[in-house]
Amino acid sequence: MARTTDEAPFTDEERAAMQERAAEVKASRRRGGSKAEKAAADLEALLAKIAEMPEPDRGLAGRIHRIALEVAPDLLPKLWYGMPAYTKDGTVVFFFQDAAKFTARYSTLGFQDPARLDDGTFWPTSWAVTPEFSTDDEATVAELIRRAVG
């Protein structure tokens, strides 16, 4: 990832993510149909995004998607800045950022403000996800999602 400067405050990857978000909003506004049809189109776009990710990100995103659907079936999947995200009442609760998106060392599972993960005065809101993601890690993610939608 290129470093930012005062002259170029955003990296190429960050600008691309902002452009993806603008396209997502535009597509959502153009999309007609019922709420169920919009949700189906959002799911289709999310699955297509996962399918185009390089491995191991694709496998990790697929596993987290499966966990999300099992643990919190009332969350709605959609794209958010070109990343798989899961919403409640139209607001993103959590998202998966693949490592390739920002040329990062690892993928990230991040939680937004609506997630009910509060624990005292200091708690994590994102976790690194490595290709060694285990079944124990899956159980931890499932519990985080349960708590998040609490």
Side-chain angles (χ1 to χ4, degrees):
M1 174 172 20
R3 297 287 170 217
T4 60
T5 66
D6 288 339
E7 294 80 35
F10 299 105
T11 65
D12 291 342
E13 293 89 351
E14 290 166 333
R15 278 193 295 281
M18 288 185 281
Q19 290 170 346
E20 284 183 284
R21 182 65 186 136
E24 292 159 9
V25 170
K26 187 184 281 187
S28 177
R29 288 183 181 152
R30 277 193 316 251
R31 202 177 294 135
S34 69
K35 193 174 185 179
E37 290 169 329
K38 289 177 183 180
D42 285 342
L43 174 60
E44 183 179 327
L46 180 138
L47 293 174
K49 179 60 78 170
I50 290 174
E52 66 186 40
M53 289 178 187
E55 286 295 352
D57 294 331
R58 179 176 44 242
L60 292 170
R63 289 169 72 187
I64 289 173
H65 176 70
R66 179 186 49 77
I67 294 165
L69 294 181
E70 288 172 4
V71 172
D74 36 321
L75 289 181
L76 294 176
K78 66 180 277 176
L79 290 179
W80 183 65
Y81 291 92
M83 298 177 286
Y86 301 83
T87 66
K88 182 176 184 177
D89 301 324
T91 304
V92 172
V93 177
F94 70 96
F95 62 93
F96 176 81
Q97 178 183 302
D98 57 301
K101 182 153 193 76
F102 294 108
T103 320
R105 195 174 99 195
Y106 43 77
S107 298
T108 305
L109 178 64
F111 290 84
Q112 295 294 99
D113 289 349
R116 298 171 186 228
L117 300 177
D118 304 31
D119 186 16
T121 59
F122 184 73
W123 60 89
T125 58
S126 64
W127 282 260
V129 183
T130 68
E132 294 77 27
F133 190 70
S134 69
T135 54
D136 287 343
D137 298 327
E138 286 186 358
T140 299
V141 167
E143 182 55 30
L144 285 169
I145 294 171
R146 275 189 204 92
R147 284 180 50 209
V149 298

